[in-house]
Amino acid sequence: MAKNMDFDYIQKARHSMAHVLAKAVCELFDDVKLGFGPPIDNGFYYDFDMAHTLREEDFPAIEAKMSEIIKNDEEFVQKQIDDPEAFFAGEPYKLELISEFRAAGEEISAYENNGFVDLCAGPHIESTKELRNWGFSVANIAGAYWRGNSDNPMLQRIYVHAFPDRKELKKYHQFLEEAKKRDHRLLGNQLDLFFFDETAPGMPYWLPKGAKLYNTLLNFSRKAHEERGYQEIVGPQLNHRGLWETSGHWEHYHENMFTVDLENNQSYALKPMNCPNAMIAFGRKNRSYRDLPLRFYETSYLHRKEASGAMHGLMRVQTFRQDDSHNFITHQQISGEINEILDITDYLYSVFGLTARAVLSTRPLEGYLGEISEWDAAEEQLKTVLNDRYEGDFEINEGDGAFYGPKIDVLVKDVLGREWQLCTIQLDFQLAGKFGLEYTDSDGKRKTPVVIHRALFGSIERFIGVITEHFAARFPFWLSPVQIGIVPVHDAHVEYCQEIYQKLTEAGLRATIDLSEGTMGNKIKTYRNELTPYIIIIGDSEMEQGNISIRVRNGTQVNNISFDSFLTTCKKMDTEHLLDLIDSDF
């Protein structure tokens, strides 16, 4: 009987297939010790301790053995084991789990399929026959510490892609191929945007074109914030330990901070967050309710220690900048300020063609600070804001708020359908009090402001990684490091090209001329490989008529058009931050 392919069933089937993988590996190789194998979004994995070093050449044999097991219609049967320690005597990782289950008073459960027994709480599908139409393939091998602890042995983890039918598997592989082509690390290297060096792990070098991209994005953010009443500040990079003790970072985040001891054994740290500096800036003088909301925007460099295995191109780095802000408000201003922040968030993401959804995280069950009544009131305000904006179309993540207040995370979806958590908006009822911050309210009483921590792009580095993959490095005109390339057909056309270049740069546009040795065709090819939005080509005809011909990035060729008309079009795309290139009606 066909099963309803809901999410729970799919995950149960994937978990059952993990047992099939484990059985296959045990039958193919000697001296295999089993870890465990959970389902994941695109399939499952299983961890093994074994003498044989797995290689890609082993994949076909593993897949064939799995197919054989599946065709055997093996039933998954829960098995009661009277003495599990004796039964799993040769399985050290299972014995560790059994010991923990006993200490916690939990039931010890195992499942069997045709003689293969694995420690498992289930549930499983009824039989491997339900997997006959599934599409699966061994994806890759990775090293993984047992239970994620670097003090434990390194195991071999086999990842398997698994989907309810072969068409879905094929579609997923096509998605992976497209994602691979868009990998920001590959494109960043090809286009000379950024690179990494072992002398500074997780700390990108921005090359000239990458720096243009970076600064253009940063200036766009600055302008958008300034227009909405934000005031930019710049705090010190190195701060005394006392600042971090007051904020609580020294106690809770010290291991992730880069620290240094200076004269007289004074400890300092490179800042991993901007918030303590914003508190100092607020507290430097008396504040009134008339000053609020007070929005301190800061893009200073931050430094955070990351495990070497956690770093991944621009997506996870050790030094970065944020479009960060700390907004000081009254309790009565929470709804209005959250709405204002979501307004600018919606605008910023729309410029990049990114769709977004909101997730509200509420008070943790334990470990939170402050009064429950304060939390409840704040959460109700946030729910009202989100209901009004999105007509109830938002997610609530119960109990996942920060210890100091509820938060809204905004997840964006790229062109491949992948979701990225970039923006976070966090209410904080505690930090201002730790720094003794107050303002004079309209009733003359001194009160503690509420602080909203928020970053919209999040890490600028990570956002560039996301949009590089989103656009496949075919950035909108206004964001492109080089917007216009100029190619003279012969040396006789160079002077006119230089005149055009001068006019473009005077208009604030980013252009270059290729005056190198080589043919016109090769120069055009170079600009095309660099994904330059427009290539101006100047020959005899263009010089005689005082016009230009252009090659658009999408392949469109437009001959003998007015330079002034083209310039007007470029300035329009630049100032209005248009998403698409104009390829006609110049």
Side-chain angles (χ1 to χ4, degrees), residues 267-336:
S267 295
Y268 287 75
L270 288 170
K271 64 178 178 179
M273 299 165 187
N274 289 311
C275 30
N277 293 141
M279 302 304 115
I280 296 295
F282 182 95
R284 66 179 292 269
K285 65 180 183 179
N286 289 330
R287 307 286 183 181
S288 161
Y289 73 96
R290 298 180 185 276
D291 299 321
L292 309 184
L294 179 60
R295 303 163 180 143
F296 282 152
Y297 170 81
E298 183 170 6
T299 63
S300 300
Y301 278 104
L302 304 178
H303 293 79
R304 297 179 187 176
K305 279 186 184 178
E306 298 284 358
S308 59
M311 290 181 281
H312 177 77
L314 296 178
M315 302 304 191
R316 194 72 175 265
V317 291
Q318 294 198 114
T319 182
F320 59 95
R321 297 164 83 174
Q322 293 179 320
D323 59 335
D324 207 359
S325 179
H326 295 87
N327 300 10
F328 298 86
I329 60 173
T330 69
H331 280 78
Q332 294 74 27
Q333 292 172 331
I334 289 176
S335 294

Side-chain angles (χ1 to χ4, degrees), residues 431-502:
L431 193 58
K434 286 185 177 183
F435 281 87
L437 305 184
E438 293 182 329
Y439 67 95
T440 303
D441 206 353
S442 57
D443 59 6
K445 295 181 179 179
R446 300 289 289 171
K447 297 181 180 177
T448 302
V450 176
V451 178
I452 300 179
H453 307 249
R454 43 112 296 181
L456 307 186
F457 290 150
S459 156
I460 300 296
E461 283 71 7
R462 187 164 185 261
F463 188 75
I464 289 176
V466 170
I467 61 173
T468 298
E469 299 192 3
H470 176 64
F471 291 119
R474 290 168 171 80
F475 299 109
F477 178 82
W478 68 271
L479 190 58
S480 294
V482 177
Q483 297 170 312
I484 304 156
I486 307 171
V487 174
V489 176
H490 297 296
D491 290 346
H493 310 125
V494 169
E495 185 176 348
Y496 184 44
C497 287
Q498 290 173 331
E499 291 177 14
I500 290 171
Y501 170 79
Q502 186 69 26

Side-chain angles (χ1 to χ4, degrees), residues 485-498 512-516 518-521 523-524 527 535-540 542-543:
I486 307 171
V487 174
V489 176
H490 297 296
D491 290 346
H493 310 125
V494 169
E495 185 176 348
Y496 184 44
C497 287
Q498 290 173 331
T512 62
I513 310 175
D514 190 338
L515 300 179
S516 65
T519 65
M520 176 190 73
K523 293 177 181 181
I524 292 172
Y527 277 125
I535 306 168
I536 294 178
I537 304 166
I538 300 298
D540 291 339
E542 288 78 19
M543 282 188 61

Side-chain angles (χ1 to χ4, degrees), residues 97-108:
L97 296 173
I98 290 169
S99 176
E100 292 181 7
F101 293 155
R102 287 208 185 281
E106 297 178 8
E107 180 183 354
I108 297 173

Side-chain angles (χ1 to χ4, degrees), residues 31 36 79 211 229 236 325 356 399 449 504 512 534 542 552-553 569 580:
D31 194 25
F36 47 59
K79 184 179 179 66
S325 179
L504 290 171
T512 62
Y534 295 105
E542 288 78 19
V552 187
R553 186 168 57 198
T569 298
D580 298 319

Side-chain angles (χ1 to χ4, degrees), residues 381-399:
Q381 289 187 72
L382 298 185
K383 287 177 183 177
T384 299
V385 168
L386 294 176
N387 270 315
D388 290 345
R389 292 186 72 93
Y390 306 117
E391 298 181 349
D393 187 18
F394 65 94
E395 182 182 334
I396 297 180
N397 197 354
E398 296 287 357

Side-chain angles (χ1 to χ4, degrees), residues 507-569:
L509 300 173
R510 297 183 293 278
T512 62
I513 310 175
D514 190 338
L515 300 179
S516 65
E517 295 289 337
T519 65
M520 176 190 73
N522 284 337
K523 293 177 181 181
I524 292 172
K525 183 179 179 180
T526 297
Y527 277 125
R528 291 188 64 186
N529 289 341
E530 293 174 351
L531 305 178
T532 308
Y534 295 105
I535 306 168
I536 294 178
I537 304 166
I538 300 298
D540 291 339
S541 175
E542 288 78 19
M543 282 188 61
E544 290 170 4
Q545 298 181 41
N547 289 333
I548 61 173
S549 292
I550 63 169
R551 178 78 61 86
V552 187
R553 186 168 57 198
N554 61 15
T556 301
Q557 178 80 29
V558 186
N559 295 321
N560 281 309
I561 60 171
S562 161
F563 171 77
D564 289 341
S565 176
F566 174 72
L567 180 61
T568 299
T569 298

